[in-house]
Amino acid sequence: MKKRIISLLLSLITLLTLIPLGAMATQSRKENFNKDYTLTGDMATDICIVANAQANLTKEELGYTEAWCADFVCDCARLANIPTSIIGNHGLAARLCETVLESGGVVVTEPRAGDLVVYQGTSKKTGEFKIFHVGIMTGGTTSAQGNLS
């Protein structure tokens, strides 16, 4: 009986290792954000105001425990009163960008404050071209973002 249980358990473990499982977590840490700012009612301006108020705060200070660029963008959007129908709640940069495009967002070549900046490149692991980072444009050439210094 013990051999049968061990065999069944090993079979189950083997089976689970063959099934591709993906994890995508979203961590909201907006309760840890600096809220010493005043919103204007303009979504593009307000997301910049919220993002800029977090300048120099670290991953640890904000409370994130994973890659946090998309989480940061989503938390800034929530605090700027931008609906999830415009900027969703996604812990994955690629999925966040898909949501923005699905809700009417457009790709631009000359960014403005309030736009999202998306970093794309070729994966060293797979050779696949993909989105790997997202941030918030705070001006024509400046941005606020998690994960990068």
Side-chain angles (χ1 to χ4, degrees), residues 71-142:
D71 295 325
F72 178 78
V73 170
C74 290
D75 281 345
C76 287
R78 296 300 78 75
L79 291 170
N81 299 317
I82 298 173
T84 56
S85 61
I86 295 174
I87 296 180
N89 273 330
H90 300 289
L92 185 62
R95 184 63 192 118
L96 174 63
C97 293
E98 288 172 13
T99 299
V100 170
L101 291 172
E102 289 167 0
S103 69
V106 295
V107 176
V108 298
T109 56
E110 294 185 29
R112 298 177 302 186
D115 288 347
L116 299 185
V117 57
V118 177
Y119 297 80
Q120 304 177 87
T122 304
S123 168
K124 290 179 184 177
K125 288 183 182 177
T126 66
E128 175 186 10
F129 190 74
K130 64 182 217 171
I131 293 171
F132 64 89
H133 185 71
V134 63
I136 301 164
M137 293 300 296
T138 56
T141 59
T142 57

Side-chain angles (χ1 to χ4, degrees), residues 12-92:
L12 182 60
I13 290 169
T14 302
L15 179 63
L16 289 175
T17 60
L18 296 176
I19 299 171
L21 299 174
M24 180 176 60
T26 300
Q27 294 185 343
S28 177
R29 300 295 185 255
K30 62 184 181 280
E31 70 276 1
N32 299 329
F33 276 43
N34 173 17
K35 296 180 184 74
D36 187 21
Y37 52 78
T38 302
L39 299 178
T40 67
D42 176 75
M43 289 187 284
T45 300
D46 289 348
I47 197 169
C48 295
I49 289 170
V50 173
N52 284 331
Q54 312 322 308
N56 301 318
L57 292 177
T58 65
K59 173 182 178 179
E60 291 76 22
E61 290 170 322
L62 291 171
Y64 295 112
T65 61
E66 63 183 11
W68 54 291
C69 63
D71 295 325
F72 178 78
V73 170
C74 290
D75 281 345
C76 287
R78 296 300 78 75
L79 291 170
N81 299 317
I82 298 173
T84 56
S85 61
I86 295 174
I87 296 180
N89 273 330
H90 300 289
L92 185 62

